[in-house]
Amino acid sequence: MEKLLKEWRQNAMNKHQYESAMYIGDKLLALTNDANDAFFLAQVHFSSGNYTRAQSFLKKHNLFEHNAACRYLGAYCYIKQSKFDEALSILGDTTPNHLIATSSKTRRKLQHTSSSLGNGSRKVGNGTGRPDRIERSEERDRENAYDIKYEAAICYLRGTCYANQNAFDRAKECYKDAVRIDVQCFEAFDQLMKNSLMTPDEEWQFLDSLDFDSMSTEDNDTSQEAAQFVKMLYTTRLSKYKNPTDFNNATESLSTHYNLASNPDLLLSKAHLHFTQCRFKQALAITTSILDSDEYNFSVYPLHLACLHELNQTNTLFLLSHRLADLHPEEPTTWLAVGIYYLSIGHIADARRYFMKAYTMDPHFGAAWIGFAHTFAAEGEHDQAISAYSSAARLFQGTHLPQLFLGMQNLHLNNMTLAHEYLSAAHEICQIDPLLLNELGVVFYHRDMLPDAVEMFNRALVIAAEIDSDPRSWIATRANLGHAYRRQRHWAAALAEFDEVIRQGGRDTGIFCAKGIVLLEMGKSLEAVCAFHQALAIGPQDPVATDLLGRALLENTTQQGWEVEDGSPDELEIFMARRRRERGRERRGNSMMRMKRVSEAGEDSMMVESDDE
């Protein structure tokens, strides 16, 4: 009879017929009075959404202390009811350190250290000459694999509770412990990556510390292959700002050896890499292909929407946001799409309202928080933007973007000291973001620290080239480098940078004016006249270009030895002598005002590129 009822109960569960499973499970429990049958019935209640009934059932049968699985389910019931303190009272706050596995490299190092200890230092730690970590590994081996997985899951739930209480440091440690105990606890690993709880350096160090060799399969010959496979999968989830070569090797191996070339998660990782490299069209093509095959894959939408915003495809945003609002009003991503559409067309108040709705539905939705802050920045409400970015920085401590945006807002307010502090804090998290290096260079430029500014601009361009980023995305950075060289009186270097900016498509009035000023300083007045004419061809009413053109024509006349009709030679000589004496101050006159606007334009143009990262 018991075998019949168990098969009946399992068949009902497989078909998601929870009422049948509860009915038969209750009769089976009455026959057996077995704790395992009671736990199964509690799981049926949980699966049907009866969290309160499942929790009370576990408590009634005193199952909380039965094993780790019962404690896990009881705590999960409290979490589903948003009772995080009660959940923590069941989970406890003690991490089973003896279950934490170490990577094979670390174990080899510990064993080598142990074997090389001299007789005088043989008794350390436990007095046996072996490090505690080795004993912990042996103690872990004696544990039941089933219990180990549930202990890891308990650490994950503990981190979930802390995250909902905004204790993100403690949540991060719990998630890390969960993955260290069981490297297959992907939920904890996903929370670490998705919520940017670690810096790029910490992510790669954490990956190296994991013991993938602890995975066991039925066939021992495939264990090593399984460990390598999982490590490559995890590698594709790490930050794209570091080690792009390792990422490409992992994706290439997964695509060719395991037939995952068209896997949505792998394609999404490639799209993130393209977005990091400012290759928005390539990233959009990949996200579009994913959504064509599965339009309900909501993990793709934040990046897809960011690409649409960067490429100013407002019609596509309009249609997409309407379809999501009609079909999935319960999803935070839906209102993120609506907010991005309104932000793209300049309806800032509407965008702010929908961004707020998105992060209200999911308080840990990073894209919604950043978009909400961008609405204040777009209206010039710098104080409120700083407040919103500060909230994002508190929630997402592992990403440098909130700190970067805080620095940019203070830069707009001309508060160079605070801007430098925030940008330096962002630089400690991520040293290889070209946009961040550009903003640091702008701060140094305004603080007259020109050698440091030149170094930052050059580093930004070098890193942009290393990650194979689109050169046109860094035209403003190259223009800023040209201005820094100009202020250092490195005329040839400045002229080379401005020529490269123009060659890459940066045909702006300010660039041609800057080039003309450099040519004037180099004594090439005729070429300067041509540059100012090109500036006026773009902006015919530009007062700075008009004034500089007049001065260039006057200087060219003097160099050619021509007579000037509207002034005597003596007046011309006096004027030119005065100009030569005051050349340094003249660079800071009206023309310098225009150059500052050009330099700051670099910030604005680059800021747009980072809005939806």
Side-chain angles (χ1 to χ4, degrees):
M1 180 62 69
E2 293 179 12
K3 182 179 179 181
L4 171 66
L5 292 178
K6 286 182 179 181
E7 291 177 353
W8 189 353
R9 180 189 64 182
Q10 187 61 50
N11 185 44
M13 278 293 291
N14 293 340
K15 293 185 290 187
H16 304 285
Q17 296 176 352
Y18 299 120
E19 291 297 330
S20 299
M22 283 186 280
Y23 183 79
I24 300 302
D26 180 64
K27 307 307 176 288
L28 180 61
L29 179 61
L31 287 174
T32 63
N33 197 28
D34 187 355
N36 290 326
D37 292 327
F39 176 65
F40 193 100
L41 186 55
Q43 285 184 307
V44 176
H45 290 311
F46 183 89
S47 299
S48 63
N50 297 325
Y51 307 121
T52 305
R53 187 177 182 185
Q55 177 265 327
S56 63
F57 187 84
L58 289 167
K59 189 174 183 180
K60 175 182 176 182
H61 290 81
N62 296 320
L63 296 178
F64 285 150
E65 304 301 328
H66 183 69
N67 56 28
C70 295
R71 284 196 297 132
Y72 172 83
L73 184 61
Y76 211 167
C77 291
Y78 279 124
I79 290 174
K80 288 294 186 179
Q81 301 171 68
S82 299
K83 298 179 179 179
F84 304 111
D85 290 332
E86 291 85 346
L88 285 172
S89 66
I90 295 177
L91 297 170
D93 57 359
T94 302
T95 300
N97 292 322
H98 65 284
L99 297 180
I100 294 179
T102 57
S103 67
S104 56
K105 289 190 295 184
T106 305
R107 285 201 302 273
R108 285 195 299 268
K109 182 177 179 181
L110 287 170
Q111 290 166 353
H112 174 74
T113 304
S114 175
S115 62
S116 62
L117 288 174
N119 294 331
S121 58
R122 178 67 69 175
K123 293 183 178 182
V124 293
N126 51 33
T128 63
R130 294 191 305 171
D132 295 338
R133 187 68 59 85
I134 301 300
E135 284 197 349
R136 292 216 306 257
S137 178
E138 294 175 353
E139 187 175 354
R140 171 192 167 89
D141 293 340
R142 291 193 294 269
E143 289 281 343
N144 189 310
Y146 179 82
D147 291 334
I148 289 176
K149 290 187 178 296
Y150 267 105
E151 287 293 346
I154 285 173
C155 289
Y156 160 70
L157 287 188
R158 192 181 297 122
T160 301
C161 293
Y162 287 138
N164 282 279
Q165 294 176 340
N166 292 335
F168 296 105
D169 288 334
R170 302 183 72 177
K172 178 176 73 172
E173 293 305 318
C174 290
Y175 290 144
K176 291 170 69 174
D177 289 339
V179 185
R180 290 191 186 110
I181 293 172
D182 178 17
V183 76
Q184 293 175 269
C185 187
F186 178 76
E187 290 284 343
F189 183 81
D190 185 53
Q191 290 297 316
L192 288 169
M193 300 300 111
K194 185 170 63 176
N195 295 318
S196 300
L197 295 179
M198 295 190 291
T199 66
D201 285 330
E202 288 176 337
E203 289 180 4
W204 287 92
Q205 292 170 6
F206 178 65
L207 182 73
D208 290 336
S209 71
L210 297 179
D211 183 21
F212 293 96
D213 294 331
S214 64
M215 297 175 55
S216 60
T217 60
E218 294 181 358
D219 184 3
N220 291 331
D221 294 337
T222 63
S223 295
Q224 186 174 1
E225 181 184 3
Q228 188 64 24
F229 176 76
V230 174
K231 185 173 183 179
M232 288 189 294
L233 285 178
Y234 283 11
T235 299
T236 63
R237 296 296 306 273
L238 302 185
S239 171
K240 307 305 182 293
Y241 285 105
K242 283 190 71 70
N243 302 331
T245 303
D246 293 345
F247 171 81
N248 290 328
N249 292 338
T251 54
E252 182 67 23
S253 180
L254 291 171
S255 300
T256 56
H257 298 159
Y258 299 99
N259 197 29
L260 294 178
S262 58
N263 181 265
D265 293 322
L266 207 61
L267 290 175
L268 182 59
S269 295
K270 292 180 180 179
H272 275 291
L273 180 62
H274 285 307
F275 190 87
T276 302
Q277 297 171 345
C278 298
R279 297 181 176 275
F280 305 119
K281 290 183 179 179
Q282 292 89 328
L284 180 60
I286 294 176
T287 57
T288 302
S289 68
I290 298 173
L291 293 175
D292 286 342
S293 61
D294 181 11
E295 64 175 316
Y296 305 113
N297 190 340
F298 288 99
S299 63
V300 180
Y301 277 105
L303 180 61
H304 183 69
L305 295 168
C307 294
L308 291 173
H309 173 71
E310 290 292 346
L311 297 172
N312 199 30
Q313 297 192 14
T314 55
N315 290 337
T316 306
L317 278 170
F318 175 80
L319 295 173
L320 178 60
S321 59
H322 264 281
R323 187 169 70 251
L324 289 174
D326 290 338
L327 298 176
H328 303 286
E330 76 285 354
E331 288 289 336
T333 305
T334 296
W335 307 112
L336 173 70
V338 177
I340 290 177
Y341 166 70
Y342 280 120
L343 181 64
S344 299
I345 64 174
H347 292 189
I348 305 301
D350 293 327
R352 182 180 303 129
R353 184 168 69 253
Y354 287 109
F355 284 137
M356 187 184 301
K357 185 173 183 178
Y359 77 67
T360 301
M361 296 175 69
D362 182 4
H364 300 144
F365 197 6
W369 276 102
I370 295 296
F372 177 71
H374 282 341
T375 60
F376 291 113
E379 289 184 330
E381 298 287 346
H382 301 299
D383 291 336
Q384 295 185 27
I386 287 173
S387 176
Y389 286 132
S390 298
S391 298
R394 180 175 54 83
L395 292 172
F396 314 107
Q397 301 173 8
T399 176
H400 68 289
L401 293 177
Q403 302 286 352
L404 168 61
F405 296 139
L406 283 167
M408 294 170 74
Q409 290 304 306
N410 282 282
L411 194 56
H412 278 292
L413 293 173
N414 203 31
N415 192 337
M416 297 301 161
T417 302
L418 274 179
H420 189 209
E421 290 180 5
Y422 281 120
L423 293 173
S424 297
H427 189 255
E428 291 179 1
I429 298 174
C430 179
Q431 296 84 27
I432 55 173
D433 183 0
L435 174 58
L436 172 59
L437 297 174
N438 174 76
E439 299 304 319
L440 273 171
V442 173
V443 170
F444 291 139
Y445 180 91
H446 285 292
R447 300 181 76 177
D448 293 329
M449 302 168 64
L450 298 179
D452 294 329
V454 168
E455 179 186 357
M456 287 298 169
F457 292 140
N458 274 317
R459 282 179 56 193
L461 294 172
V462 169
I463 292 175
E466 288 177 352
I467 65 175
D468 197 26
S469 182
D470 188 350
R472 291 172 296 180
S473 299
W474 307 105
I475 288 177
T477 302
R478 193 171 294 279
N480 291 341
L481 177 59
H483 288 303
Y485 279 139
R486 179 181 56 79
R487 287 188 58 188
Q488 285 186 309
R489 305 180 68 83
H490 297 168
W491 310 122
L495 182 60
E497 297 300 333
F498 290 134
D499 283 337
E500 182 64 18
V501 168
I502 295 170
R503 189 188 65 81
Q504 292 180 0
R507 301 182 65 82
D508 179 76
T509 303
I511 297 299
F512 282 109
C513 286
K515 179 181 177 181
I517 291 174
V518 172
L519 290 169
L520 274 178
E521 297 289 357
M522 297 174 71
K524 301 179 180 180
S525 56
L526 183 58
E527 295 180 35
V529 169
C530 295
F532 294 134
H533 272 300
Q534 289 175 301
L536 288 170
I538 298 172
Q541 306 300 323
D542 189 284
V544 176
T546 302
D547 179 62
L548 289 173
L549 176 60
R551 294 170 184 258
L553 287 170
L554 189 60
E555 185 157 336
N556 183 60
T557 300
T558 304
Q559 290 180 356
Q560 299 297 331
W562 299 335
E563 290 195 9
V564 183
E565 295 182 0
D566 350 354
S568 66
D570 292 338
E571 292 176 352
L572 180 60
E573 291 175 5
I574 293 172
F575 172 78
M576 294 305 299
R578 186 170 67 249
R579 187 183 186 284
R580 285 192 292 269
R581 288 195 306 269
E582 299 178 356
R583 182 168 292 172
R585 283 182 294 175
E586 184 178 317
R587 292 201 314 274
R588 299 177 181 268
N590 292 333
S591 61
M592 190 53 207
M593 292 175 60
R594 179 60 181 175
M595 294 309 102
K596 287 184 178 180
R597 291 202 299 273
V598 173
S599 178
E600 293 170 357
E603 305 162 42
D604 297 335
S605 62
M606 301 309 292
M607 184 178 178
V608 173
E609 292 170 17
S610 64
D611 280 349
D612 299 288
E613 289 184 7

